[in-house]
Amino acid sequence: MPLSPEPEPLSRRAFVRNTSMAAASALAGGIASRSITADAAPPKTVPASYPHPLLTASDDYYDVSRGNPKPHSLVGEALVEARLTAESWRLEIVADPFTSELVKEPASLTKVLTLDDGTALDLPALIELGKMHSVRFLKAIQCLNIAAPLGQGLWEGVPLREVLRLCGTMKNVRRIYYWGYHNNDPKQVFQSSLSYTEAMETPPGDLPPFLAYRLNGKPIPLKRGGPVRLIVPWAHGFKSIKWLQRIAVTNDFKANDTYANQNNDPESHLKTAAYIDGAPDKYDAGKPIFLSGLALAGLSGLKRVEHWLHRIEPGAKPVVQDDETYRAARWTPCELEALPTDWSGVFPAGVSSKDVLGFDPKTGQPTAWPLRYSMISWSMTLRDLPPGKYEFRARAVDLNDFAQPEPRPVQKTGKNAVEVHRFEVS
């Protein structure tokens, strides 16, 4: 029998393809990519599916895997040697010997888990640990430098703190470094890190970083980073390392993140943002115009999505964000997807919403809607527009009343431009 998490029955909800994702759109035959930002040409598209499924089927995630060859393309013995099968997966946990002029003493562990001595953690042991400490929650995956969310799933696994406790007492530990498999090529190493506090201390009701082994009730596919990947709920995707294989506790106070070395902010959190689905660029006068998209609730939560419709007058200057025309805009609220009344039709069969973080364990309803670090659909219907050319913008407003792209408009912390869809009514 294969050593993998026991798959639970399929969800009773039939997942439809999320055509707002660029990759899924390309597969849909005739559906072009989603809407884009104000500085680019309008897309030629047809409306995407609405509302989007709350759980993205694993095959429908937009893929940003790196490596040559990509780890999920390995087959046969190469896959086993890479420890990327359920049977061969192992996780090493060691202490980094690093010292420097500023770091006088190295980190230490009472017990290390290594391949050489046969103590590295395997998948059955991780799943056994999950019988006592497993967590589940709904999370959207979004990359720091990609405009569109990659997908959303119900992730399940064991908090990182519980895995580190297998190694006994830690001393002189300030950060947790971790790596995923990338062909054993030093030039392809992909790594990230967390502070000791982020790894070990989670306020009640908050979501811990954890080692995930299930997605939507089933073993995580290799393409999604299985058999085991790290999930950091509040962070962009580069923190949620795929194909996790090695953890080192260190007294080094610096982040080791691959993204930090590429001029990005390694401590960035998910931003509250609205995204516009692909839509036609021409409409007939007199007919209603339906526009939709996704809204991601970042660290600051989501209060609403709002839109601004701007008619382009002949000869007028293009609107630039924060120019006089933009500052005078009147924004109108859009419709947000309603809170589901029956979560058994959303989550996989056998998974109760009462057992999902962010949900009330008594009522099975979310403590906030939308949940932080998740995304839901929004929509707007425009009626009775006279012939002409238009720009439709959508933005999210967080619980601090900051409107996108605030409060962090710097791209190093993640793309967050206000999107625009241009169209003509004739």
Side-chain angles (χ1 to χ4, degrees), residues 170-212:
M170 288 184 272
K171 293 182 179 179
N172 295 312
V173 175
R174 284 192 275 185
R175 289 195 76 79
I176 313 298
Y177 288 173
Y178 50 94
W179 293 261
Y181 175 80
H182 277 82
N183 307 306
N184 293 325
D185 179 352
K187 295 181 179 178
Q188 296 187 37
V189 167
F190 201 81
Q191 60 193 24
S192 196
S193 65
L194 295 167
S195 71
Y196 174 89
T197 299
E198 290 173 322
M200 302 300 293
E201 300 181 38
T202 305
D206 274 12
L207 309 176
F210 73 103
L211 278 66

Side-chain angles (χ1 to χ4, degrees), residues 34-51:
R34 33 171 259 99
S35 191
I36 45 181
T37 58
D39 296 327
K44 298 182 182 298
T45 58
V46 299
S49 298
Y50 178 88

Side-chain angles (χ1 to χ4, degrees), residues 141-157:
I141 299 291
Q142 167 66 307
C143 187
L144 184 85
N145 292 320
I146 292 179
L150 310 183
Q152 175 164 270
L154 180 69
W155 299 89
E156 179 180 350

Side-chain angles (χ1 to χ4, degrees), residues 21 117 264:
M21 306 301 176
D117 65 13
N264 297 294

Side-chain angles (χ1 to χ4, degrees), residues 27-141:
L27 293 172
I31 297 180
S33 62
R34 33 171 259 99
S35 191
I36 45 181
T37 58
D39 296 327
K44 298 182 182 298
T45 58
V46 299
S49 298
Y50 178 88
H52 302 276
L54 284 172
L55 299 187
T56 305
S58 61
D59 288 342
D60 290 348
Y61 275 72
Y62 184 79
D63 185 53
V64 291
S65 299
R66 295 168 174 81
N68 185 24
K70 292 183 177 180
H72 63 73
S73 70
L74 300 177
V75 296
E77 191 59 31
L79 202 60
V80 174
E81 291 179 0
R83 311 202 310 272
L84 292 180
T85 67
E87 293 82 2
S88 64
W89 180 82
R90 298 292 187 276
L91 174 69
E92 293 189 292
I93 305 179
V94 299
D96 179 12
F98 173 80
T99 58
S100 70
E101 183 178 349
L102 297 176
V103 180
K104 303 299 183 183
E105 297 182 63
S108 67
L109 292 170
T110 303
K111 177 184 179 182
V112 297
L113 306 180
T114 68
L115 292 170
D116 290 342
D117 65 13
T119 58
L121 186 68
D122 61 19
L123 188 54
L126 181 63
I127 294 170
E128 187 66 25
L129 192 61
K131 292 179 180 179
M132 293 184 60
H133 301 291
S134 69
V135 292
R136 298 185 179 106
F137 65 88
L138 192 66
K139 171 177 166 54
I141 299 291

